[in-house]
Amino acid sequence: MHVLITGAAGFLGQRLTHALLASGDLDGRSLSRLTLVDQTAPEVPSGTGVEIRARAQDITAPGAWDTVLDERPDVIFHLAAVVSSAAEANLDLGMAVNFEATRTLLDGCRARKLSSTRLIMASSVAVYGGQLPDTLDDMTALTPQSSYGTQKAMCELLINDYSRRGLVDGRVLRLPTIVVRPGRPNAAASSFASSILREPLNGEAAVCPVPTDLELFVMSPGRVIEALMHGATVPADAFGDYRGLMLPGITVSVAEMLDTLRELGGEEALARVRHEPDARIEAIVASWPARFATRKAERLGFMGDQNLREIVEAFLADPARHG
Amino acid sequence: MHVLITGAAGFLGQRLTHALLASGDLDGRSLSRLTLVDQTAPEVPSGTGVEIRARAQDITAPGAWDTVLDERPDVIFHLAAVVSSAAEANLDLGMAVNFEATRTLLDGCRARKLSSTRLIMASSVAVYGGQLPDTLDDMTALTPQSSYGTQKAMCELLINDYSRRGLVDGRVLRLPTIVVRPGRPNAAASSFASSILREPLNGEAAVCPVPTDLELFVMSPGRVIEALMHGATVPADAFGDYRGLMLPGITVSVAEMLDTLRELGGEEALARVRHEPDARIEAIVASWPARFATRKAERLGFMGDQNLREIVEAFLADPARHG
């Protein structure tokens, strides 16, 4: 089996690469070949027995997908994207990377008749926004309040239509906010959600820019990687008449996050969190819903975390926790 | 006020042109200029006192919008589209006309800082599909089961985002099935819905391809035109956090349509309808939702028809009823 990962140099791309190599197969088929694409060439793990090619590629360039699609991947994990703050700051960049490159990827599959290629795209909780019911479900309208969410929602619709037409076998997984990300804070509006746990647990200071009663819908990196791989194995029919779904995150408040921080890191860890309200970040994050009935995902066998403590313990046990 | 109509040579475009000229103003401002765009140059009504320009324009051509947008229209009614059967038969054509030309229209407004230009786009009940609740509302997910519906849903999202960013003042109205259309039967799956009323009332035979208990969500041509014009007058704020809404159609069964036909045309009119089940047409039409709670549209002052009898009486009074 030949697997292509876009955005392979990113946090999820690297983890997925390692998880696929550790597993050695996907959907009962042996992993024989792995193609890793990103803006800069992703690092190639050695001694794996799998043929791995890393490619540096601007996916917005004309013909960007030609070479990798000519090699006819069986599964494509499409993770490449610009993050929400970048898409908000630069509409053209977001449209080019988040939307147009997905469209050209779909058209590249179509032109090569890769109708049974499974395309798993990472979408986001940011497709929801504005005035929403208390608990969302699989039939809640996508009313994004950001350009990032808009671009992801448009990709969902397009992947759904191309799949309905039998041009590709697409699956769209809406990712909850990922907590705890290893590494450093980034430009994402949600960066604080990992930062207020990660930095204090690593002995560093962190800033909490939102009120403590703000709720988030979160999933650990480990569960997200499992979900992406599971997404490649679910039979196409099981998706019914729409190829997208929300992954089963869990609902946590910032207060609960800080409680868990104190439980696992002590008062000195908690004291490293400084509260500095940032209206811009709060406005973005507060527009993301935090409560979902994820029945479709559960019916299809996607698994969420048990609770926040389990998530933070997994982070503490992660060798990569310092980045 | 300068108004631009795209798809101006079509059924709705022509009616809207005449309605605007008859009114003489829009949103309390005098109509001074009207630009009519379609594939072939729309007919120009004479003796109106309004400066009218008709342009034949392929809206998918590079720079297609430059000339008309350089003239800085105050209101744009964007009706140009390829119909559902054509979009299903030719994915590239549908994407180019229904999606890409809308995107370039939005970018053209953005480039010229037409941020207060009101852009009213006609969307469709076809944005809905698949397994749906019995009664849909403003928060029901768009899960289109056609390329036409997909392209319209993507346009909705894009118009919403460009409006949120203050790049244009967009409004998207989802049109119910229009009954009674004047003219002749066509290839559309919904053609029978007008045909079983229009032909018998005009003394001709018609075929009913669906069971009489099938329900449709319908609106008269007159109410649709009023709704488009009203869409240009609603304050932007009133749309809240999403610029789209379903217009307030009414739910009617085919049996009710035939009852109304007998009431207004007599037994001899009813006898002109031949029942010839067509599984293909039934499958398509039965997939369209027929029951909506259109609270947002009603709150914003959009008006539906009172009942089916009023719709048919308006048709009988229409000088254009023979096409």
Side-chain angles (χ1 to χ4, degrees), chain A residues 9-306:
Chain A
F11 158 58
L12 288 179
Q14 289 181 48
R15 294 235 166 178
L16 179 60
T17 298
H18 289 287
L20 284 169
L21 291 170
S23 160
D25 60 22
L26 186 64
D27 202 18
R29 290 174 61 192
S30 172
L31 182 71
S32 54
R33 189 166 171 186
L34 192 55
T35 302
L36 307 175
V37 172
D38 211 312
Q39 274 185 293
T40 54
E43 208 178 310
V44 175
S46 57
T48 62
V50 172
E51 184 187 346
I52 309 178
R53 294 211 192 149
R55 298 180 58 85
Q57 179 71 59
D58 171 5
I59 61 172
T60 68
W65 299 114
D66 287 353
T67 304
V68 294
L69 292 182
D70 282 346
E71 295 166 353
R72 306 186 74 78
D74 301 295
V75 174
I76 302 171
F77 291 101
H78 182 40
L79 309 179
V82 300
V83 298
S84 53
S85 55
E88 199 61 23
N90 187 335
L91 177 58
D92 291 320
L93 178 69
M95 282 297 289
V97 176
N98 294 349
F99 175 70
E100 200 54 51
T102 302
R103 180 178 169 185
T104 57
L105 176 61
L106 287 167
D107 278 329
C109 290
R110 174 187 173 205
R112 290 166 183 81
K113 302 194 189 306
L114 297 178
S115 56
S116 59
T117 290
R118 293 186 173 182
L119 170 66
I120 298 93
M121 187 188 84
S123 183
S124 163
V125 68
V127 295
Y128 299 104
Q131 278 219 303
L132 289 167
D134 285 341
T135 301
L136 284 69
D137 63 28
D138 297 308
M139 282 310 291
T140 304
L142 308 189
T143 50
Q145 301 301 308
S146 67
S147 293
Y148 178 80
T150 299
Q151 291 148 11
K152 286 291 184 185
M154 287 166 58
C155 288
E156 287 199 14
L157 286 160
L158 204 57
I159 289 173
N160 188 58
D161 196 46
Y162 275 55
S163 299
R164 185 189 61 81
R165 296 182 76 113
L167 303 172
V168 71
D169 182 358
R171 295 101 191 280
V172 179
L173 309 182
R174 295 177 197 136
L175 272 48
T177 298
I178 300 179
V179 168
V180 182
R181 284 177 178 264
R184 307 301 307 166
N186 65 23
S190 60
S191 180
F192 79 89
S194 286
S195 203
I196 60 172
L197 292 166
R198 181 185 60 224
E199 267 67 271
L201 290 169
N202 285 344
E204 299 175 44
V207 170
C208 179
V210 299
T212 55
D213 62 352
L214 187 134
E215 288 184 332
L216 293 160
F217 195 63
V218 305
M219 198 174 207
S220 66
R223 290 293 189 188
V224 169
I225 296 301
E226 284 172 24
L228 289 168
M229 291 170 67
H230 184 67
T233 73
V234 176
D237 290 355
F239 282 86
D241 48 38
Y242 193 74
R243 294 301 187 102
L245 54 77
M246 185 75 212
L247 289 180
I250 57 172
T251 304
V252 296
S253 68
V254 170
E256 289 173 274
M257 297 172 74
L258 297 175
D259 284 348
T260 305
L261 172 61
R262 192 185 47 227
E263 281 167 38
L264 296 175
E267 290 292 345
E268 68 275 24
L270 183 63
R272 295 187 189 111
V273 179
R274 204 168 62 244
H275 292 266
E276 284 182 12
D278 182 323
R280 192 190 62 85
I281 290 177
E282 186 188 342
I284 296 172
V285 180
S287 79
W288 301 341
R291 293 172 181 266
F292 288 87
T294 54
R295 293 183 202 97
K296 184 170 175 182
E298 283 148 36
R299 196 170 66 238
L300 271 55
F302 291 93
M303 302 274 286
D305 298 281
Q306 292 297 310

Side-chain angles (χ1 to χ4, degrees), chain B residues 197-216:
Chain B
L197 293 166
R198 182 185 57 223
E199 267 69 87
L201 290 169
N202 285 345
E204 297 176 44
V207 170
C208 179
V210 298
T212 55
D213 62 352
L214 187 134
E215 289 184 333
L216 292 160

Side-chain angles (χ1 to χ4, degrees), chain B residues 69-138:
Chain B
L69 292 183
D70 281 347
E71 294 167 351
R72 307 184 74 80
D74 300 294
V75 174
I76 302 172
F77 292 99
H78 182 40
L79 309 179
V82 299
V83 298
S84 54
S85 54
E88 199 60 25
N90 187 336
L91 177 58
D92 291 321
L93 178 68
M95 282 296 290
V97 177
N98 294 348
F99 175 70
E100 200 53 51
T102 302
R103 180 178 167 185
T104 56
L105 177 60
L106 287 167
D107 278 328
C109 291
R110 174 186 173 206
R112 290 166 183 82
K113 302 194 188 307
L114 297 177
S115 55
S116 59
T117 290
R118 295 187 171 181
L119 170 66
I120 297 94
M121 187 188 83
S123 183
S124 163
V125 68
V127 296
Y128 299 105
Q131 279 218 304
L132 290 167
D134 286 342
T135 300
L136 285 69
D137 64 29
D138 297 308

